[in-house]
Amino acid sequence: MTLRGLFISFEGIDGAGKSTHIDALAQAFRAQGRAVTLTREPGGTPLAEKLRTLVLNDPMDAMTEALLVFAARRDHLQQVIEPALARAEVVLCDRFTDATFAYQGGGRGFDLNTLSYLEQLVQTTQAPEANFVRQPDLTIWFDLAPEIAAQRLAGVRVPDKFEAQPADFFARVRAGYLARCEAHAQRFARIEADQSREAVWADVLTVFQKQGWLGQVLPA
């Protein structure tokens, strides 16, 4: 059987537990013989990491923020994601465009139509049969109440400008994620992140096993 590339994104506010399970999933795929590219947004390339630093720390209006995020995404797609998928690798990405709709759209209140235009512009990929807008094959959304996420993050590190936002900002971010989940239900899997690490991992594995992408995996 010829393997194809898989593009999987992980979404959720900081404190939802994404990073732990991304690393465990990468190990699970590698244990079954798949090559894995582990990456993140904003970031993933030297240029995109520089833009990430600006986005997370420098004051700017919502449009500037959105443009920088999509500029980083374009470089990320061109330099990392598309080449890895062409090599039939599994790409595990900590956040992708759904985060832009959640944070800049929901949290910042930036125009969703403009974000949709930028999404089409930046993510259009050329293919022999027809061009298409690159989206993840599967998006795992770690859904967690903002107040619980804040408790988990308290004292862990100095917050960036997003993590320092008030609770109502994250309520809007969560609503933004929910709207994207409902609009793209065919590729979203919502995980209840207010569980033990072991229970969350079991739910994540179930999603991938139902897809037929992973066989039996030992507990994390």
Side-chain angles (χ1 to χ4, degrees):
M1 182 180 66
T2 302
L3 294 175
R4 72 174 184 89
L6 293 175
F7 181 21
I8 300 155
S9 63
F10 296 77
E11 297 287 355
I13 60 178
D14 287 298
K18 293 185 283 76
S19 299
T20 297
H21 299 293
I22 292 173
D23 291 339
L25 195 63
Q27 292 176 24
F29 271 111
R30 286 171 178 146
Q32 299 193 6
R34 294 300 300 264
V36 177
T37 291
L38 194 60
T39 189
R40 68 176 182 176
E41 287 212 348
T45 71
L47 173 60
E49 290 292 335
K50 292 176 183 177
L51 296 176
R52 176 189 178 91
T53 298
L54 295 175
V55 169
L56 294 187
N57 297 286
D58 289 18
M60 62 189 71
D61 72 353
M63 178 177 285
T64 303
E65 199 170 85
L67 290 171
L68 288 177
V69 167
F70 273 107
R73 180 162 300 130
R74 179 66 181 179
D75 193 58
H76 192 205
L77 281 164
Q78 294 293 300
Q79 302 298 326
V80 175
I81 294 174
E82 295 296 346
L85 293 176
R87 295 190 299 266
E89 295 184 11
V90 177
V91 177
L92 304 181
C93 190
D94 187 346
R95 296 204 176 106
F96 194 61
T97 309
D98 299 305
T100 309
F101 279 81
Y103 278 81
Q104 280 71 46
R108 296 286 195 216
F110 188 63
D111 181 62
L112 297 180
N113 290 329
T114 301
L115 292 180
S116 294
Y117 170 74
L118 291 171
E119 179 182 34
Q120 296 280 326
L121 183 68
V122 166
Q123 294 166 224
T124 294
T125 300
Q126 293 183 347
E129 53 278 5
N131 294 348
F132 64 96
V133 176
R134 174 65 72 190
Q135 296 289 4
D137 296 295
L138 178 66
T139 296
I140 306 294
W141 174 32
F142 294 85
D143 186 19
L144 185 68
E147 56 271 20
I148 297 175
Q151 292 170 10
R152 291 182 179 181
L153 289 174
V156 173
R157 59 177 180 266
V158 177
D160 61 41
K161 75 178 188 184
F162 290 99
E163 294 168 340
Q165 293 295 314
D168 60 343
F169 174 85
F170 288 102
R172 296 193 300 272
V173 170
R174 189 184 188 189
Y177 272 128
L178 179 59
R180 284 290 278 187
C181 181
E182 291 174 344
H184 301 273
Q186 74 284 355
R187 68 170 171 84
F188 260 82
R190 177 184 173 274
I191 301 294
E192 176 54 63
D194 186 18
Q195 305 181 82
S196 69
R197 185 176 66 87
E198 293 77 14
V200 172
W201 176 239
D203 286 350
V204 170
L205 279 184
T206 296
V207 171
F208 285 90
Q209 288 166 344
K210 284 182 177 178
Q211 292 282 349
W213 294 345
L214 279 177
Q216 188 63 34
V217 177
L218 294 175

